[in-house]
């Protein structure tokens, strides 16, 4: 166990805080133990005496946004069962921020500004990742073009064959963020999650992911504010979860009620451990945390 | 029964009636997408390897493997007879199955036999074995050809390179994993 990267980790987290405080974001800390979750077919929550540990702080943060807080950020622990690998921990640190009145295009720009700010502040021996983040011309690539460029089949074929994730991981992701960071954006509507469908093209959702050196760093979108549509999407996701033999838990009704109050907004989740990995040139997420589950 | 989340390097599973070992393993998961378990698998009988990606709901049978310590009794043609010293059960392993191991097998040697559904699929020898040289060219002192090794043949018929001073009748220690000469053994 190497503790050598812990001071850099602390500097990076302080850099993130400085950036948001300068921009008049309010730091919030919402409960991590919740009675209901946003249904996610591919994320398995940890149970806690009949409640759940959060898999992301988005539900509480969007309720605060709906209640009238226009700019909020949070750095917190999230829990996802069975996620363990060189880039995954079942307990990890997430940065999320939400801002009223903007869409995903403005959010991508702010995300780039954050990472350039943090990269400039950190003094790592290996400057290659920081140099990459400092570049001005980040790449904007739609999911459709990325598949056309790197995958053996089109997005539509991949979806029809239930192979979207597999092809994304195998053929597309390793090519992203090489030479400069890449925003992969405009996801198929079926993978829209809590994102608004694109104005003028309802086949895609206003959702993006950020990749640097093939590493997925962040996922953001223009928030869907139509509570009825969101409920319909949740019902579909819950059916998928039940089909897997899992219990989806109670419907997040209070969240849906508050969503009706939400004006336009955009929000993003960024993996802090992964950002530390990237900036420090760590090959495994194990190197950037104090302890892994295996060492406790 | 294993599920995909049990996959890791070294795990042995059964696929289509054959035992496989996971030689490489990577967990991937695009943000909101499915968990993918990318593996490289090696067939423990044929040695053939391939890559396959599994999903969370995939399930596997444990490969029923058993390792038993057995003693080499004798060979007859291409058949090598071994006995389990606890149960006195005897089995036959073919020359093909033994592969390189035939070079180092001597009477009464204890080996570890890996069995898959009662079928022997692999033999692990002790790391070091002592074998007697049965054929060696004499050492020509003052040989100026510049070579610092010469070939000798040991009791199993195996030929290897050794220092030029080794003579017939001497006993050599050999590393069974590399097949190389280590040292002379004085009785």
């Amino acid at each position: 166990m190497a503790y050598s990267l812990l001071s850099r980790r602390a500097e990076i987290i302080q850099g993130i805080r400085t950036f948001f405080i300068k921009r008049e974001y309010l730091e919030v800390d919402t409960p991590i133990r919740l009675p209901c979750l946003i249904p996610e077919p591919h994320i398995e929550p940890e149970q806690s005496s009949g409640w759940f540990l959060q898999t992301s702080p988005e539900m509480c943060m969007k309720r605060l946004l709906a209640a009238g807080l226009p700019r909020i950020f949070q750095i917190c622990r999230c829990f996802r069962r069975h996620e363990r690998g060189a880039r995954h921990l079942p307990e990890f640190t997430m940065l999320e921020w939400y801002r009223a009145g903007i869409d995903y295009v403005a959010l991508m720009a702010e995300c780039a500004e954050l990472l350039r700010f943090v990269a400039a502040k950190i003094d790592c021996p290996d400057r290659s990742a920081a140099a990459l983040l400092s570049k001005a011309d980040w790449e904007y690539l739609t999911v459709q073009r990325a598949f056309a460029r790197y995958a053996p089949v089109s997005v539509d074929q991949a979806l029809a064959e239930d192979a979207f994730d597999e092809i994304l991981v195998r053929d597309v992701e390793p090519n992203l963020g090489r030479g400069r960071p890449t925003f992969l954006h405009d996801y198929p509507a079926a993978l829209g999650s809590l994102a608004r469908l694109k104005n003028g093209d309802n086949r895609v959702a206003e959702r993006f992911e950020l990749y640097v050196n093939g590493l997925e760093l962040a996922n953001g979108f223009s928030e869907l504010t139509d509570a009825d549509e969101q409920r319909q999407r949740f019902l579909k996701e819950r059916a998928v979860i039940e089909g897997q033999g899992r219990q989806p838990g109670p419907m997040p009704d209070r969240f849906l009620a508050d969503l009706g109050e939400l004006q336009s907004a955009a929000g993003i989740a960024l993996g802090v451990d992964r950002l530390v990995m990237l900036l420090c040139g760590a090959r495994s997420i194990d190197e950037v945390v104090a302890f892994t589950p295996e060492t406790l | 029964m294993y599920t995909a989340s049990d996959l890791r390097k070294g795990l042995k599973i059964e696929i289509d009636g054959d035992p496989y070992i996971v030689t490489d393993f990577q967990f991937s998961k695009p943000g909101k997408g499915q968990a993918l378990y990318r593996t490289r698998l090696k067939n423990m009988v044929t040695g053939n390897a391939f890559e396959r990606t599994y999903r969370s709901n995939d399930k596997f049978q444990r490969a029923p493997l058993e390792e038993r310590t057995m003693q080499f009794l004798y060979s007859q043609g291409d058949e090598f007879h071994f006995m389990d010293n606890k149960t006195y059960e005897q089995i036959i392993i073919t020359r093909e199955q033994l592969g390189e191991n035939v070079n180092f097998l001597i009477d009464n040697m204890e080996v570890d036999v890996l069995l898959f559904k009662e079928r022997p699929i692999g033999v692990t020898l002790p790391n070091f074995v002592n074998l007697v040289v049965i054929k060696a060219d004499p050492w020509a002192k003052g040989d100026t050809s510049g070579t610092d090794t010469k070939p000798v043949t040991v009791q199993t018929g195996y030929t290897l390179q050794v220092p030029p001073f080794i003579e017939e009748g001497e006993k050599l220690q050999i590393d069974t994993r590399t097949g190389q000469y280590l040292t002379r053994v004085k009785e």
Side-chain angles (χ1 to χ4, degrees):
Chain A
M1 169 64 60
Y3 297 97
S4 59
L5 299 181
L6 291 188
S7 62
R8 296 235 161 72
R9 179 187 173 93
E11 284 169 26
I12 289 166
I13 290 173
Q14 281 168 25
I16 293 169
R17 282 215 162 82
T18 306
F19 176 86
F20 286 110
I21 291 165
K22 271 190 180 168
R23 296 199 167 202
E24 296 182 340
Y25 273 79
L26 178 69
E27 181 166 10
V28 297
D29 51 342
T30 56
I32 64 168
R33 187 170 164 269
L34 306 165
C36 57
L37 297 178
I38 283 167
E40 291 269 9
H42 303 305
I43 297 177
E44 197 179 330
E46 202 69 66
Q47 308 256 352
S48 169
S49 306
W51 284 27
F52 304 95
L53 300 185
Q54 70 180 2
T55 57
S56 134
E58 68 179 322
M59 187 173 79
C60 288
M61 289 185 79
K62 281 184 211 171
R63 290 183 67 185
L64 291 177
L65 199 63
L69 297 178
R71 294 176 176 214
I72 48 176
F73 79 100
Q74 174 159 211
I75 298 167
C76 60
R77 289 305 172 94
C78 297
F79 302 82
R80 298 178 179 183
R81 288 193 73 189
H82 300 312
E83 298 195 6
R84 184 70 177 106
R87 297 170 171 188
H88 291 84
L89 284 169
E91 174 182 349
F92 62 100
T93 303
M94 189 90 104
L95 160 68
E96 290 208 8
W97 76 95
Y98 291 84
R99 184 164 162 185
I102 63 167
D103 68 0
Y104 76 140
V105 175
L107 186 59
M108 284 190 265
E110 187 165 57
C111 177
E113 285 157 21
L114 165 72
L115 294 180
R116 283 193 208 107
F117 177 84
V118 173
K121 276 189 107 58
I122 302 309
D123 185 26
C124 282
D126 177 3
R127 297 288 304 164
S128 58
L132 213 60
L133 293 177
S134 309
K135 297 214 166 164
D137 59 331
W138 289 26
E139 182 182 34
Y140 289 77
L141 185 64
T142 64
V143 172
Q144 185 164 12
R145 288 200 55 198
F147 270 67
R149 194 182 290 175
Y150 302 119
V153 299
S154 70
V155 181
D156 292 337
Q157 277 174 284
L159 285 170
E161 290 163 16
D162 188 25
F164 180 88
D165 292 324
E166 206 165 324
I167 292 169
L168 181 74
V169 164
R170 190 189 64 208
D171 300 313
V172 181
E173 281 189 350
N175 295 301
L176 302 180
R178 302 287 174 193
R180 56 181 175 154
T182 301
F183 282 118
L184 186 67
H185 65 95
D186 291 5
Y187 274 67
L191 305 174
S193 188
L194 286 79
R196 178 174 84 191
L197 295 185
K198 190 165 176 147
N199 216 349
D201 183 1
N202 62 12
R203 290 168 305 169
V204 295
E206 292 189 353
R207 178 184 157 201
F208 66 89
E209 299 238 6
L210 171 63
Y211 288 88
V212 187
N213 278 346
L215 182 69
E216 179 198 337
L217 268 189
N219 172 56
F221 33 77
S222 305
E223 300 297 342
L224 176 64
T225 53
D226 180 335
D228 291 332
E229 187 182 339
Q230 189 68 75
R231 184 180 287 274
Q232 290 311 310
R233 290 195 200 173
F234 281 179
L235 288 169
K236 269 191 205 163
E237 307 280 40
R238 288 166 65 89
V240 175
I241 292 170
E242 279 167 354
Q244 297 165 350
R246 289 197 287 134
Q247 287 290 330
M251 188 71 137
D253 287 317
R254 287 189 172 139
F255 166 78
L256 288 168
D258 288 353
L259 196 62
E261 304 299 313
L262 187 60
Q263 301 304 307
S264 73
I268 175 171
L270 184 148
V272 173
D273 310 290
R274 296 233 184 127
L275 178 60
V276 181
M277 275 177 76
L278 176 73
L279 283 169
C280 297
R283 294 173 63 88
S284 161
I285 199 165
D286 295 24
E287 296 173 41
V288 302
V289 293
F291 298 97
T292 62
E294 296 81 10
T295 59
L296 288 174
Chain B
M1 192 74 112
Y2 294 121
T3 62
S5 62
D6 295 316
L7 286 169
R8 64 186 177 279
K9 253 189 210 180
L11 192 75
K12 294 165 185 125
I13 56 177
E14 185 179 336
I15 304 169
D16 300 334
D18 271 341
Y20 283 82
I21 182 164
V22 178
T23 55
D24 208 0
F25 168 71
Q26 210 183 348
F27 174 80
S28 323
K29 185 176 183 303
K32 292 185 175 285
Q34 300 174 49
L36 300 169
Y37 301 82
R38 301 159 78 194
T39 60
R40 188 169 174 80
L41 296 154
K42 194 171 98 178
N43 186 312
M44 296 176 73
V45 179
T46 64
N48 293 340
F50 66 92
E51 282 177 14
R52 189 180 280 183
T53 297
Y54 293 100
R55 300 181 181 190
S56 305
N57 294 337
D58 290 331
K59 291 187 170 53
F60 310 91
Q61 289 289 349
R62 197 174 68 83
L65 294 162
E66 186 194 1
E67 196 167 58
R68 280 158 76 177
T69 302
M70 295 189 140
Q71 192 174 28
F72 174 55
L73 299 178
Y74 61 93
S75 64
Q76 206 168 30
D78 284 342
E79 294 186 339
F80 291 72
H81 293 250
F82 292 83
M83 182 175 72
D84 185 323
N85 280 339
K86 289 197 196 105
T87 62
Y88 305 109
E89 185 190 345
Q90 290 194 24
I91 59 160
I92 294 170
I93 302 180
T94 65
R95 181 181 292 275
E96 195 189 345
Q97 285 172 323
L98 282 168
E100 302 275 299
N101 286 329
V102 293
N103 294 329
F104 313 110
L105 210 51
I106 48 176
D107 290 355
N108 301 323
M109 181 185 254
E110 286 203 337
V111 301
D112 288 328
V113 178
L114 188 64
L115 297 136
F116 173 67
K117 296 179 175 171
E118 312 289 309
R119 182 158 57 106
I121 61 165
V123 173
T124 308
L125 302 189
N127 290 342
F128 308 108
V129 60
N130 296 337
L131 298 173
V132 177
V133 177
I134 56 162
K135 189 165 158 269
D137 292 333
W139 183 28
K141 281 199 180 170
D143 179 0
T144 55
S145 67
T147 53
D148 50 4
T149 62
K150 68 174 183 183
V152 297
T153 304
V154 292
Q155 69 195 85
T156 57
Y158 175 61
T159 301
L160 73 162
Q161 291 291 326
V162 298
F165 54 77
I166 301 292
E167 293 170 0
E168 266 180 35
E170 284 191 292
K171 202 172 248 193
L172 309 181
Q173 189 179 57
I174 296 170
D175 188 323
T176 61
R177 295 160 296 184
T178 62
Q180 282 174 354
Y181 164 85
L182 290 173
T183 182
R184 259 192 301 193
V185 182
K186 299 253 164 68
E187 296 281 273

